[in-house]
Amino acid sequence: MSVRTPDPNGGWLSDDELSSIRRRLPLLYVEAVPVRVDGLGVVTEVGLLLRANSTGEMTRTIVSGRVMYGETLREALFRHLEKDLGPMAFPLLPANPNPFHVAEYFPLPGISQFTDERQHAVSLAYVVPVTGTCDPRQDALEITWLTPREAASDAVTSEMEGGRGALLRAALASVGALN
């Protein structure tokens, strides 16, 4: 989580306020693993974003972002999916907004498998089918569609920062896409 996506509502928190809050309080995030499904609802492809981290290294990641004050989980998911995948992605948000996993990110490694050097964060993670055309925006360079087996491979998950490789595997397991 070292790459910062600009907040679309710049008036929400200034960079200084956000930095101060991150040092004192856990923040709530939503994360989404975009997938394509067939007519039976079986996951056929997983979409992973390609980004450059703060050191210029290319990494893979999933859709992720903060939940703003007064925003529902459904609204936050939709906002971040549209922000990262483009307005024509047409995500199918779950009818029941229960996450497949709750990930707790810590600034120091070793407390959990999830790390974020900026903050302590709690993330509600979802698998979200998308039916439209994805055109990454913000700081994502591209989206790559992989089979579930390819996405869960060591080669791909090792490119994901902060423990998101484990989160991706948990996402695929939650929808029966890992054999």
Side-chain angles (χ1 to χ4, degrees):
M1 294 176 66
S2 61
V3 176
R4 184 172 115 69
T5 301
D7 195 323
N9 181 1
W12 184 54
L13 291 173
S14 72
D15 287 343
D16 290 338
E17 290 170 323
L18 181 57
S19 178
S20 175
I21 288 169
R22 281 182 166 150
R23 287 189 306 270
R24 296 182 293 154
L25 298 170
L27 293 177
L28 179 62
Y29 279 72
V30 290
E31 294 186 286
V33 176
V35 298
R36 302 251 190 232
V37 297
D38 66 14
L40 296 174
V42 175
V43 173
T44 59
E45 294 181 302
V46 179
L48 297 178
L49 298 168
L50 180 67
R51 292 191 171 136
N53 67 15
S54 60
T55 63
E57 180 184 13
M58 301 307 282
T59 62
R60 297 273 175 203
T61 194
I62 57 177
V63 173
S64 178
R66 289 189 313 272
V67 177
M68 296 192 329
Y69 180 81
E71 185 177 46
T72 67
L73 294 175
R74 187 179 305 282
E75 290 166 341
L77 267 173
F78 188 82
R79 178 171 57 85
H80 288 293
L81 284 158
E82 184 176 75
K83 174 184 61 103
D84 284 353
L85 302 180
M88 302 304 288
F90 302 130
L92 300 173
L93 296 182
N96 182 350
N98 287 326
F100 74 85
H101 191 80
V102 177
E104 192 171 12
Y105 291 84
F106 288 93
L108 301 172
I111 298 173
S112 89
Q113 64 183 339
F114 304 106
T115 59
D116 181 343
E117 73 267 359
R118 302 170 304 167
Q119 65 190 338
H120 177 190
V122 175
S123 177
L124 307 177
Y126 299 86
V127 176
V128 180
V130 293
T131 60
T133 303
C134 295
D135 183 24
R137 305 181 327 165
Q138 300 294 334
D139 58 355
L141 302 173
E142 70 177 29
I143 186 167
T144 304
W145 292 97
L146 304 169
T147 67
R149 180 176 295 233
E150 291 168 333
S153 72
D154 289 340
V156 171
T157 58
S158 67
E159 295 177 353
M160 303 180 82
E161 294 180 316
R164 284 199 178 81
L167 190 63
L168 175 61
R169 285 182 175 143
L172 294 172
S174 77
V175 294
L178 288 184
N179 299 346

